[in-house]
Amino acid sequence: MQYLDTGSITRGAIEGYQIIAPQSEKLPSRARRKISSGDIIYSSVRPIQEHYGLILNPDENVLVSTGFTVVRNTEQLVCPELLYLFLTQDSVTKKLQQIAEQSVSTYPSIKADDLAALELPLPSAIEAAWLQPFLENIFAIMDSNRQMCMQLAKLRDALLPKLISGEIDVSRIDLTQLNGHLSVLLLAFRIRAPAFSEASFGTAHRESRCAESRRYRHLRTR
């Protein structure tokens, strides 16, 4: 069983799962929430700390803390990636933090209803048809890179002691050739990727034709 606590994810980057053997270990009392691909998990305590993330293709044996609110998309015109970008804007984070500071709980916290009450301008069908595959591709690449970084970190931890001890000798390796592919990849990304930023995201939706007439409030939270 893999368990994710609120402190183990920040701005979408997962530091690691706690591995638990149910046969011999007791599950943490807060390990109760199951998640599906496309779910957004958002910590209910101190939104300003940005303990949130978009979960893509999780293993079947993953549980997350009840300290998370799980947001699940129910609107076809809004893909999970677009919803995640909206929920993680600085302006939304500050608004949620203000709500949290007015709570009567021990720590500044928000409720699932606070997230469900947020309004997101709906894109038109044409905008959605362009945005969804683009965002899905970008987030899939980001997720793949994170997975690769985790694997490389494990490899580094395994090899570093051997390099320090001299068990592995790299004195004859030409290190200048190892990163030669990075400039090519960077150039390709600059050519293919359209300009996109948090500011342009907000501007595009404020100017959307549907922003004045329709509001998205079909979040399912728990």
Side-chain angles (χ1 to χ4, degrees):
M1 187 67 66
Q2 299 181 77
Y3 170 60
L4 184 66
D5 197 5
T6 54
S8 298
I9 184 170
T10 304
R11 303 187 69 182
I14 297 175
E15 295 180 6
Y17 292 94
Q18 180 181 347
I19 307 301
I20 302 170
Q23 299 84 359
S24 57
E25 298 179 80
K26 186 178 180 180
L27 286 173
S29 60
R30 307 197 76 177
R32 294 291 182 268
R33 296 202 188 280
K34 293 184 177 181
I35 51 175
S36 302
S37 185
D39 283 351
I40 298 168
I41 54 175
Y42 204 108
S43 175
S44 60
V45 176
R46 296 190 177 94
I48 200 68
Q49 293 183 345
E50 301 180 307
H51 293 312
Y52 52 65
L54 173 62
I55 304 300
L56 299 174
N57 305 312
D59 294 337
E60 293 183 0
N61 63 341
V62 172
L63 292 175
V64 302
S65 170
T66 54
F68 288 114
T69 293
V70 179
V71 181
R72 188 165 295 167
N73 176 45
T74 60
E75 170 58 57
Q76 291 184 349
L77 290 179
V78 179
C79 59
E81 292 81 4
L82 180 59
L83 180 56
Y84 176 77
L85 289 176
F86 168 75
L87 290 175
T88 58
Q89 292 182 102
D90 286 343
S91 58
V92 174
T93 300
K94 291 176 182 177
K95 179 178 180 179
L96 292 173
Q97 180 63 24
Q98 291 174 354
I99 294 173
E101 290 173 354
Q102 297 171 7
S103 67
V104 295
S105 59
T106 306
Y107 303 102
S109 60
I110 58 174
K111 302 188 295 281
D113 289 343
D114 296 322
L115 286 169
L118 296 173
E119 295 184 348
L120 165 66
L122 276 173
S124 66
I126 295 176
E127 291 169 334
W130 181 85
L131 277 172
Q132 290 188 16
F134 172 72
L135 291 178
E136 288 172 359
N137 184 50
I138 290 296
F139 273 77
I141 293 173
M142 291 168 57
D143 185 61
S144 176
N145 286 344
R146 288 194 188 104
Q147 296 295 330
M148 185 180 297
C149 286
M150 292 176 66
Q151 294 299 322
L152 289 174
K154 292 179 181 179
L155 182 61
R156 174 204 62 203
D157 293 342
L159 292 180
L160 190 57
K162 297 182 179 181
L163 289 170
I164 294 175
S165 66
E167 183 179 347
I168 297 178
D169 182 11
V170 295
S171 60
R172 297 183 180 181
I173 297 178
D174 184 2
L175 299 178
T176 61
Q177 297 182 3
L178 298 181
N179 295 326
H181 66 291
L182 294 180
S183 58
V184 177
L185 290 175
L186 182 59
L187 177 62
F189 178 78
R190 288 176 176 172
I191 293 173
R192 295 179 184 177
F196 188 84
S197 66
E198 183 175 289
S200 63
F201 168 76
T203 302
H205 286 292
R206 283 195 298 272
E207 296 176 350
S208 174
R209 293 189 301 273
C210 60
E212 296 180 359
S213 59
R214 293 185 294 165
R215 288 285 180 175
Y216 171 62
R217 294 190 64 179
H218 301 287
L219 300 184
R220 208 168 89 198
T221 59
R222 56 186 176 87

PDB file of all heavy atoms in Angstrom, residues 3 26-34 63-66 222:
ATOM      1  N   TYR A   3       0.940   5.396   0.570  1.00  0.00           N
ATOM      2  CA  TYR A   3       0.182   6.445   1.253  1.00  0.00           C
ATOM      3  C   TYR A   3       0.840   7.792   1.007  1.00  0.00           C
ATOM      4  O   TYR A   3       2.062   7.944   1.117  1.00  0.00           O
ATOM      5  CB  TYR A   3       0.116   6.157   2.753  1.00  0.00           C
ATOM      6  CG  TYR A   3      -0.426   7.295   3.574  1.00  0.00           C
ATOM      7  CD1 TYR A   3      -1.713   7.787   3.365  1.00  0.00           C
ATOM      8  CD2 TYR A   3       0.354   7.887   4.572  1.00  0.00           C
ATOM      9  CE1 TYR A   3      -2.207   8.845   4.128  1.00  0.00           C
ATOM     10  CE2 TYR A   3      -0.135   8.930   5.336  1.00  0.00           C
ATOM     11  CZ  TYR A   3      -1.415   9.407   5.110  1.00  0.00           C
ATOM     12  OH  TYR A   3      -1.902  10.447   5.862  1.00  0.00           O
ATOM     13  N   LYS A  26       0.084  -1.176  10.537  1.00  0.00           N
ATOM     14  CA  LYS A  26      -1.211  -0.525  10.639  1.00  0.00           C
ATOM     15  C   LYS A  26      -1.228   0.734   9.776  1.00  0.00           C
ATOM     16  O   LYS A  26      -0.287   1.527   9.791  1.00  0.00           O
ATOM     17  CB  LYS A  26      -1.512  -0.164  12.091  1.00  0.00           C
ATOM     18  CG  LYS A  26      -2.902   0.399  12.308  1.00  0.00           C
ATOM     19  CD  LYS A  26      -3.147   0.687  13.785  1.00  0.00           C
ATOM     20  CE  LYS A  26      -4.539   1.250  14.015  1.00  0.00           C
ATOM     21  NZ  LYS A  26      -4.789   1.537  15.453  1.00  0.00           N
ATOM     22  N   LEU A  27      -2.307   0.905   9.020  1.00  0.00           N
ATOM     23  CA  LEU A  27      -2.425   2.092   8.184  1.00  0.00           C
ATOM     24  C   LEU A  27      -2.590   3.332   9.057  1.00  0.00           C
ATOM     25  O   LEU A  27      -3.242   3.285  10.099  1.00  0.00           O
ATOM     26  CB  LEU A  27      -3.638   1.975   7.257  1.00  0.00           C
ATOM     27  CG  LEU A  27      -3.528   1.029   6.065  1.00  0.00           C
ATOM     28  CD1 LEU A  27      -4.884   0.912   5.370  1.00  0.00           C
ATOM     29  CD2 LEU A  27      -2.481   1.526   5.080  1.00  0.00           C
ATOM     30  N   PRO A  28      -2.001   4.460   8.646  1.00  0.00           N
ATOM     31  CA  PRO A  28      -2.255   5.705   9.377  1.00  0.00           C
ATOM     32  C   PRO A  28      -3.754   5.993   9.414  1.00  0.00           C
ATOM     33  O   PRO A  28      -4.490   5.659   8.480  1.00  0.00           O
ATOM     34  CB  PRO A  28      -1.501   6.756   8.548  1.00  0.00           C
ATOM     35  CG  PRO A  28      -0.448   5.988   7.819  1.00  0.00           C
ATOM     36  CD  PRO A  28      -1.045   4.651   7.539  1.00  0.00           C
ATOM     37  N   SER A  29      -4.201   6.622  10.485  1.00  0.00           N
ATOM     38  CA  SER A  29      -5.633   6.864  10.665  1.00  0.00           C
ATOM     39  C   SER A  29      -6.225   7.737   9.573  1.00  0.00           C
ATOM     40  O   SER A  29      -7.422   7.660   9.285  1.00  0.00           O
ATOM     41  CB  SER A  29      -5.876   7.512  12.035  1.00  0.00           C
ATOM     42  OG  SER A  29      -5.188   8.746  12.132  1.00  0.00           O
ATOM     43  N   ARG A  30      -5.380   8.547   8.925  1.00  0.00           N
ATOM     44  CA  ARG A  30      -5.875   9.459   7.886  1.00  0.00           C
ATOM     45  C   ARG A  30      -5.746   8.882   6.482  1.00  0.00           C
ATOM     46  O   ARG A  30      -6.114   9.545   5.503  1.00  0.00           O
ATOM     47  CB  ARG A  30      -5.143  10.796   7.971  1.00  0.00           C
ATOM     48  CG  ARG A  30      -5.171  11.424   9.352  1.00  0.00           C
ATOM     49  CD  ARG A  30      -4.811  12.882   9.321  1.00  0.00           C
ATOM     50  NE  ARG A  30      -5.912  13.705   8.825  1.00  0.00           N
ATOM     51  CZ  ARG A  30      -5.882  15.040   8.748  1.00  0.00           C
ATOM     52  NH1 ARG A  30      -4.800  15.688   9.122  1.00  0.00           N
ATOM     53  NH2 ARG A  30      -6.907  15.714   8.296  1.00  0.00           N
ATOM     54  N   ALA A  31      -5.238   7.682   6.361  1.00  0.00           N
ATOM     55  CA  ALA A  31      -5.084   7.054   5.036  1.00  0.00           C
ATOM     56  C   ALA A  31      -6.406   6.415   4.630  1.00  0.00           C
ATOM     57  O   ALA A  31      -6.604   5.210   4.765  1.00  0.00           O
ATOM     58  CB  ALA A  31      -3.963   6.012   5.074  1.00  0.00           C
ATOM     59  N   ARG A  32      -7.315   7.246   4.116  1.00  0.00           N
ATOM     60  CA  ARG A  32      -8.670   6.760   3.850  1.00  0.00           C
ATOM     61  C   ARG A  32      -9.184   7.103   2.453  1.00  0.00           C
ATOM     62  O   ARG A  32     -10.160   6.515   1.997  1.00  0.00           O
ATOM     63  CB  ARG A  32      -9.644   7.345   4.884  1.00  0.00           C
ATOM     64  CG  ARG A  32      -9.391   6.851   6.308  1.00  0.00           C
ATOM     65  CD  ARG A  32      -9.740   5.388   6.452  1.00  0.00           C
ATOM     66  NE  ARG A  32      -9.550   4.918   7.818  1.00  0.00           N
ATOM     67  CZ  ARG A  32      -8.443   4.367   8.272  1.00  0.00           C
ATOM     68  NH1 ARG A  32      -7.393   4.244   7.452  1.00  0.00           N
ATOM     69  NH2 ARG A  32      -8.345   3.953   9.510  1.00  0.00           N
ATOM     70  N   ARG A  33      -8.565   8.045   1.768  1.00  0.00           N
ATOM     71  CA  ARG A  33      -9.125   8.506   0.502  1.00  0.00           C
ATOM     72  C   ARG A  33      -8.494   7.788  -0.687  1.00  0.00           C
ATOM     73  O   ARG A  33      -7.271   7.776  -0.846  1.00  0.00           O
ATOM     74  CB  ARG A  33      -8.941  10.009   0.344  1.00  0.00           C
ATOM     75  CG  ARG A  33      -9.689  10.847   1.368  1.00  0.00           C
ATOM     76  CD  ARG A  33      -9.889  12.261   0.835  1.00  0.00           C
ATOM     77  NE  ARG A  33     -10.442  13.153   1.847  1.00  0.00           N
ATOM     78  CZ  ARG A  33     -11.720  13.198   2.178  1.00  0.00           C
ATOM     79  NH1 ARG A  33     -12.577  12.380   1.597  1.00  0.00           N
ATOM     80  NH2 ARG A  33     -12.144  14.057   3.104  1.00  0.00           N
ATOM     81  N   LYS A  34      -9.334   7.223  -1.559  1.00  0.00           N
ATOM     82  CA  LYS A  34      -8.868   6.641  -2.807  1.00  0.00           C
ATOM     83  C   LYS A  34      -8.934   7.703  -3.904  1.00  0.00           C
ATOM     84  O   LYS A  34      -9.770   8.598  -3.872  1.00  0.00           O
ATOM     85  CB  LYS A  34      -9.718   5.428  -3.191  1.00  0.00           C
ATOM     86  CG  LYS A  34      -9.562   4.237  -2.254  1.00  0.00           C
ATOM     87  CD  LYS A  34     -10.363   3.050  -2.762  1.00  0.00           C
ATOM     88  CE  LYS A  34     -10.153   1.843  -1.864  1.00  0.00           C
ATOM     89  NZ  LYS A  34     -10.911   0.659  -2.353  1.00  0.00           N
ATOM     90  N   LEU A  63      -3.419   5.424  -1.451  1.00  0.00           N
ATOM     91  CA  LEU A  63      -4.371   6.130  -0.607  1.00  0.00           C
ATOM     92  C   LEU A  63      -3.775   7.488  -0.250  1.00  0.00           C
ATOM     93  O   LEU A  63      -2.555   7.611  -0.099  1.00  0.00           O
ATOM     94  CB  LEU A  63      -4.657   5.358   0.688  1.00  0.00           C
ATOM     95  CG  LEU A  63      -5.418   4.039   0.569  1.00  0.00           C
ATOM     96  CD1 LEU A  63      -5.487   3.361   1.931  1.00  0.00           C
ATOM     97  CD2 LEU A  63      -6.826   4.261   0.014  1.00  0.00           C
ATOM     98  N   VAL A  64      -4.630   8.503  -0.132  1.00  0.00           N
ATOM     99  CA  VAL A  64      -4.156   9.823   0.278  1.00  0.00           C
ATOM    100  C   VAL A  64      -4.832  10.209   1.584  1.00  0.00           C
ATOM    101  O   VAL A  64      -5.858   9.655   1.977  1.00  0.00           O
ATOM    102  CB  VAL A  64      -4.421  10.896  -0.800  1.00  0.00           C
ATOM    103  CG1 VAL A  64      -3.743  10.513  -2.102  1.00  0.00           C
ATOM    104  CG2 VAL A  64      -5.912  11.118  -1.010  1.00  0.00           C
ATOM    105  N   SER A  65      -4.258  11.196   2.234  1.00  0.00           N
ATOM    106  CA  SER A  65      -4.738  11.630   3.540  1.00  0.00           C
ATOM    107  C   SER A  65      -6.123  12.269   3.449  1.00  0.00           C
ATOM    108  O   SER A  65      -6.467  12.907   2.438  1.00  0.00           O
ATOM    109  CB  SER A  65      -3.749  12.635   4.138  1.00  0.00           C
ATOM    110  OG  SER A  65      -4.276  13.251   5.285  1.00  0.00           O
ATOM    111  N   THR A  66      -6.892  12.118   4.505  1.00  0.00           N
ATOM    112  CA  THR A  66      -8.171  12.811   4.596  1.00  0.00           C
ATOM    113  C   THR A  66      -7.971  14.313   4.779  1.00  0.00           C
ATOM    114  O   THR A  66      -8.941  15.071   4.750  1.00  0.00           O
ATOM    115  CB  THR A  66      -9.010  12.265   5.775  1.00  0.00           C
ATOM    116  OG1 THR A  66      -8.231  12.337   6.975  1.00  0.00           O
ATOM    117  CG2 THR A  66      -9.420  10.827   5.524  1.00  0.00           C
ATOM    118  N   ARG A 222     -14.751  16.034  -2.190  1.00  0.00           N
ATOM    119  CA  ARG A 222     -15.006  15.154  -1.040  1.00  0.00           C
ATOM    120  C   ARG A 222     -13.773  15.179  -0.137  1.00  0.00           C
ATOM    121  O   ARG A 222     -12.713  15.596  -0.533  1.00  0.00           O
ATOM    122  CB  ARG A 222     -15.311  13.721  -1.482  1.00  0.00           C
ATOM    123  CG  ARG A 222     -14.235  13.088  -2.363  1.00  0.00           C
ATOM    124  CD  ARG A 222     -14.688  11.725  -2.875  1.00  0.00           C
ATOM    125  NE  ARG A 222     -13.710  11.156  -3.783  1.00  0.00           N
ATOM    126  CZ  ARG A 222     -12.688  10.431  -3.411  1.00  0.00           C
ATOM    127  NH1 ARG A 222     -12.473  10.203  -2.134  1.00  0.00           N
ATOM    128  NH2 ARG A 222     -11.852   9.909  -4.297  1.00  0.00           N
TER     129      ARG A 222
END
